[in-house]
Amino acid sequence: MKFVTNKLQTPANTETRLVDPFGREMNYLRLAITDRCNLRCQYCMPAEGNLLNNHNHILHFEEMEQLILIFQDLGVNKLRITGGEPFVRKGLLEFLKRVNEFEGINSINITTNAVFIGDIISDLEQLKIGSLNISLDSLQKDKFIKITRRDEFEIVMENINKAINSTIPVKLNMVVLAGINDDEIISFTQLAKDNLIEVRFIEQMPFSGGPASESILSADQILDILQQQYSLLYEQSLPDSTARIFYNPGYKGTIGIIAGYSRTFCSSCTRLRITSDGMLKTCLYDRGAIDLKEMLRSGKTDMQIKDAIIMAVQNRAKDGFESQDRSIQYSNLSMAQIGG
Ligand code: SAM
């Protein structure tokens, strides 16, 4: 990876904040707590699954907690727990309860396929969950099975209903696949009519190990489909949001579009990511800036780790295109390893 050689100017201390060269302050950390998943979504991984890391190559919960505390000291106040499928990892609920006590963390968010959440929603209601993002790519059983390569439609729908009826804010994420589920865009938006949820359409990104697929429908094309259906679609502007949010009069919920492939939101992106094997990514499109697991396991102090993180943020690319250019080629990681 080609780094811009910025000199580290500020030693880590409690006042240090993670500000990149473009003035964006990193306050949001996405942590992929496992690379294992119970589904095999076609756009995410091959039918036989990804090559999995040995358990010892995945961060332990104690290591994640140490890292969250370090990031908290550096100004991170929002967490997202993702995977793989986070709920396939044993001990997740206990981990969440411990992290819930971290004073600097204001909101814990989770991205899940909802297969395993049915029995724990009331536990999650006790935590500071900012949002539960549930991935659902079809409202039709046959198509769901075709996309996910698993027969879990009924339980997912049942658990989505439970989540919507809980006190936890719910977002429904649909990856739009041209010719496969784009005919369901309007049916999905109608879920926001009577439910106080955000229905979000995500551009497919080239993170399945292969090149960008022909089935990518751009954010603009998705918006065109919505505008043809709804003449009165108002846009809400939210700072630091990767989604463009729209509301339709008379709808309880909102509609979001995430241009993850077009990368139109980079100028306000304040996200850092840690992959399940402990690589810090300062952009979804980079190949990893620091091996945090190696730093932890080789006995580096918190102060040394903080300095390395500050340095990585000071080298952060302007946008996802620059990150991609700095990398030799697209990262061949799957989203199940990066965490989406
Ligand atoms: N297992 C959880 C789930 O299903 O939500 C969390 C991990 S999953 C990798 C996180 C998100 O990334 C999901 O919404 C998934 O649809 C999305 N995702 C995976 N591969 C993608 C791709 N190639 N392009 C766009 N989104 C993708």
Side-chain angles (χ1 to χ4, degrees), residues 9-21:
Q9 286 165 1
T10 329
N13 62 52
T14 49
E15 296 307 310
T16 306
R17 289 291 179 263
L18 293 172
V19 182
D20 77 7

Side-chain angles (χ1 to χ4, degrees), residues 30 34 36-39 41 43-45 81-87 110-114 133-137 173-177 202-208 260 334-340:
R30 301 173 60 105
T34 177
R36 284 150 169 81
C37 191
N38 52 315
L39 302 184
C41 299
Y43 54 81
C44 186
M45 61 169 93
I81 305 300
T82 173
E85 170 49 41
F87 290 100
I110 305 176
T111 303
T112 175
N113 58 38
N133 289 16
I134 300 180
S135 306
L136 176 72
D137 299 323
N173 285 345
M174 186 240 231
V175 176
V176 182
L177 310 164
I202 304 178
E203 275 181 344
Q204 190 192 352
M205 293 175 267
F207 283 100
S208 52
S334 145
M335 281 293 193
Q337 292 153 314
I338 304 170

Side-chain angles (χ1 to χ4, degrees), residues 180-247:
I180 300 175
N181 63 3
D182 54 335
D183 56 335
E184 294 190 64
I185 289 179
I186 299 305
S187 322
F188 266 81
T189 57
Q190 281 163 359
L191 298 173
K193 185 166 190 279
D194 298 320
N195 299 298
L196 191 58
I197 59 174
E198 190 174 307
V199 175
R200 307 180 342 150
F201 300 105
I202 304 178
E203 275 181 344
Q204 190 192 352
M205 293 175 267
F207 283 100
S208 52
S213 127
E214 283 174 5
S215 60
I216 289 181
L217 206 71
S218 73
D220 285 345
Q221 289 171 307
I222 298 168
L223 184 56
D224 276 350
I225 294 174
L226 294 174
Q227 281 173 331
Q228 278 166 27
Q229 176 75 17
Y230 304 110
S231 46
L232 292 173
L233 210 53
Y234 297 102
E235 183 162 3
Q236 278 175 343
S237 69
L238 295 176
D240 301 344
S241 174
T242 49
R244 285 180 72 185
I245 310 290
F246 300 89
Y247 68 96

